[in-house]
């Protein structure tokens, strides 16, 4: 089953990457698959991308043409689920021009599958998105912190940068001096 899911995720990636490349849409992988590209593997059932806000309509129309149902949409996010569970879920984060320019200027093209190399958000931008996710949904705290800690343990993101993001979103109180949650996390 896991091998089958990976193959189906690969098909999803191939379709999305082809669409993004043909349309010249800036995109970057974020979430668990981005972490995998950096060397930290964890289970996931979704694929997460950051894209420019102005491409939202085209992207949603495309994933719906692949059979995905849009289950949530807002100014900054959309979530899409396929009726075949093996094709998983696709989530998009839509960012404005200044944020997009910063993220896309710092992407790294990394190998994800055998012959698929994709732009992946920098570890710093992944942390920023994860801290923002905690701010918006405190129930995501433990899973997002585990990912942030993994990036810090891999020594691919600066601890001061992590602290700066927590300060920006008024979440400093959840960190101790070592960048991990107080109260035993």
């Amino acid at each position: 089953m896991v091998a089958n899911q990976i193959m189906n995720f690969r098909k999803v990636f191939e379709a999305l990457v082809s669409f993004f490349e043909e349309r010249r849409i800036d995109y970057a992988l974020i979430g668990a698959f981005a972490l995998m590209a950096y060397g930290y593997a964890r289970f996931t059932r979704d694929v997460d991308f950051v894209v420019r806000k102005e491409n939202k309509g085209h992207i949603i129309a495309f994933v719906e043409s692949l059979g995905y149902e849009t289950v949530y949409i807002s100014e900054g996010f959309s979530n899409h689920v396929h009726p075949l569970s093996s094709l998983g879920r696709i989530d998009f984060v839509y960012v404005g021009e200044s944020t997009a320019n910063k993220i896309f200027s710092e992407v790294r093209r990394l190998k994800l599958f055998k012959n698929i190399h994709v732009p992946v958000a920098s570890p710093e931008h992944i942390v920023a998105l994860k801290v923002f996710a905690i701010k918006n949904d405190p129930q995501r705290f433990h899973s997002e912190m585990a990912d942030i800690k993994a990036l810090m343990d891999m020594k691919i993101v600066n601890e001061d940068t992590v602290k700066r993001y927590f300060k920006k979103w008024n979440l400093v109180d959840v960190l101790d001096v070592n960048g991990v949650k107080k109260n035993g996390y």
Side-chain angles (χ1 to χ4, degrees):
M1 179 68 168
V2 173
N4 190 22
Q5 278 195 333
I6 290 172
M7 289 304 294
N8 286 325
F9 271 129
R10 182 184 175 108
K11 289 178 184 177
V12 170
F13 272 99
E14 288 172 344
L16 288 168
V17 168
S18 178
F19 171 75
F20 293 144
E21 301 290 332
E22 287 172 9
R23 294 281 184 119
R24 299 186 196 279
I25 292 175
D26 288 328
Y27 69 101
L29 192 60
I30 57 176
F33 277 98
L35 293 171
M36 185 187 326
Y38 282 112
Y40 173 65
R42 70 166 170 81
F43 180 75
T44 188
R45 291 186 179 178
D46 68 347
V47 179
D48 305 283
F49 290 97
V50 62
V51 294
R52 292 181 185 272
K53 278 184 183 181
E54 68 242 25
N55 295 310
K56 180 169 38 173
H58 296 296
I59 292 168
I60 291 171
F62 177 71
V63 296
E64 288 178 349
S65 78
L66 296 175
Y68 285 84
E69 175 188 344
T70 300
V71 294
Y72 177 79
I73 188 168
S74 71
E75 182 179 339
F77 306 94
S78 68
N79 312 108
H80 313 271
V81 178
H82 200 280
L84 299 174
S85 63
S86 64
L87 292 178
R89 174 179 161 143
I90 305 171
D91 297 333
F92 294 97
V93 175
Y94 303 100
V95 294
E97 185 174 355
S98 64
T99 301
N101 291 341
K102 184 154 180 63
I103 290 172
F104 298 126
S105 71
E106 298 178 20
V107 297
R108 300 173 186 178
R109 199 157 188 91
L110 301 174
K111 182 177 180 179
L112 190 59
F113 296 111
K114 186 176 180 179
N115 294 318
I116 298 178
H117 290 74
V118 296
V120 180
S122 72
E124 291 78 15
H125 289 129
I126 292 170
V127 168
L129 289 163
K130 290 187 170 296
V131 175
F132 185 72
I134 292 168
K135 179 70 174 177
N136 285 326
D137 184 359
Q139 292 181 343
R140 294 177 61 167
F141 179 84
H142 292 289
S143 63
E144 302 297 356
M145 284 300 294
D147 292 345
I148 292 168
K149 184 172 182 334
L151 289 169
M152 291 174 66
D153 289 347
M154 293 167 61
K155 308 281 190 235
I156 61 173
V157 65
N158 181 287
E159 185 176 309
D160 290 333
T161 301
V162 172
K163 289 178 183 178
R164 190 170 60 245
Y165 289 130
F166 276 87
K167 184 176 181 179
K168 178 180 180 177
W169 296 107
N170 297 317
L171 294 170
V172 174
D173 60 322
V174 301
L175 296 177
D176 69 16
V177 293
N178 296 314
V180 293
K181 182 184 179 293
K182 292 180 180 179
N183 304 323
Y185 182 77

